[in-house]
Amino acid sequence: VILVPWDYDFSDLEYDALFISNGPGDPKQCTITINNIKKNLNKQIPTFGICLGNQLLALAAGADTYKLKYGHRAQNQPCLLEGTKQAFITTQNHGFAVEEASLPNGWKVWWRNLNDNSIEGIKHEILPFFGFQAHPEASAGPTDTEFLFNNFIEIVKEHKQNKRN
């Protein structure tokens, strides 16, 4: 694991996956990070963004974000896994969301907030890129979505195996 600050250009490093963590503020102010993520997307390295990381991933892909009227705060935000009838109670703390109409070709809504219908996660249709607006690592509070970390690890392992073959 290589931990880098928000403005670090990691494009010359050798790594198996990119995890973009949460953080405060307006994602559009993180232009250096967005540009670094774009470089990563061009390499098609597995990428998982959490909270602000989801928004930065969306911006790097070419989507837009907007400020929520009230934001999503607390450990009781219901999210629907798109295409299923599975809803999860999540922990959240953010004031921005991804603009659905701005998602570029190849990207889709992965999770949706059941309170206001905003996007809670995005996913590329083919490539190993996805983001989740809530906090699957939350503690204390709901841990219903911890499985996302296991899914990411499996995607990284599969990607490494495919590179070898």
Side-chain angles (χ1 to χ4, degrees):
V1 174
I2 303 168
L3 179 65
V4 298
W6 71 275
D7 60 349
Y8 187 85
D9 184 358
F10 48 84
S11 60
D12 289 335
L13 298 176
E14 188 173 322
Y15 52 97
D16 297 320
L18 177 62
F19 181 81
I20 312 164
S21 69
N22 53 320
D26 182 346
K28 290 180 183 175
Q29 293 183 354
C30 300
T31 54
I32 295 170
T33 306
I34 294 164
N35 289 329
N36 289 333
I37 295 168
K38 283 180 188 178
K39 293 177 198 175
N40 179 80
L41 296 180
N42 289 333
K43 293 180 180 182
Q44 299 184 1
I45 294 172
T47 303
F48 184 18
I50 296 290
C51 195
L52 178 67
N54 176 66
Q55 298 159 19
L56 295 173
L57 176 61
L59 290 166
D64 197 9
T65 58
Y66 66 96
K67 183 154 180 53
L68 292 163
K69 185 172 183 177
Y70 300 108
H72 296 157
R73 317 248 187 256
Q75 57 193 35
N76 60 354
Q77 293 288 325
C79 291
L80 178 71
L81 178 58
E82 284 285 295
T84 74
K85 293 183 178 184
Q86 294 179 302
F88 297 83
I89 301 301
T90 66
T91 298
Q92 299 187 17
N93 186 21
H94 61 270
F96 293 84
V98 175
E99 178 64 52
E100 185 167 355
S102 73
L103 284 174
N105 289 337
W107 289 84
K108 64 182 182 179
V109 176
W110 186 30
W111 293 86
R112 188 172 302 279
N113 187 292
L114 290 172
N115 287 332
D116 65 7
N117 211 35
S118 64
I119 292 179
E120 291 289 352
I122 60 171
K123 185 175 188 175
H124 195 277
E125 294 173 351
I126 299 168
L127 299 172
F129 311 143
F130 54 96
F132 186 54
Q133 193 61 57
H135 295 266
E137 81 288 3
S139 200
T143 56
D144 295 1
T145 55
E146 279 183 327
F147 68 90
L148 294 175
F149 292 116
N150 293 333
N151 291 356
F152 183 55
I153 290 169
E154 290 305 313
I155 288 168
V156 172
K157 287 179 183 176
E158 182 180 311
H159 187 261
K160 280 182 70 169
Q161 185 63 37
N162 290 341
K163 279 176 57 175
R164 286 187 201 133
N165 294 335

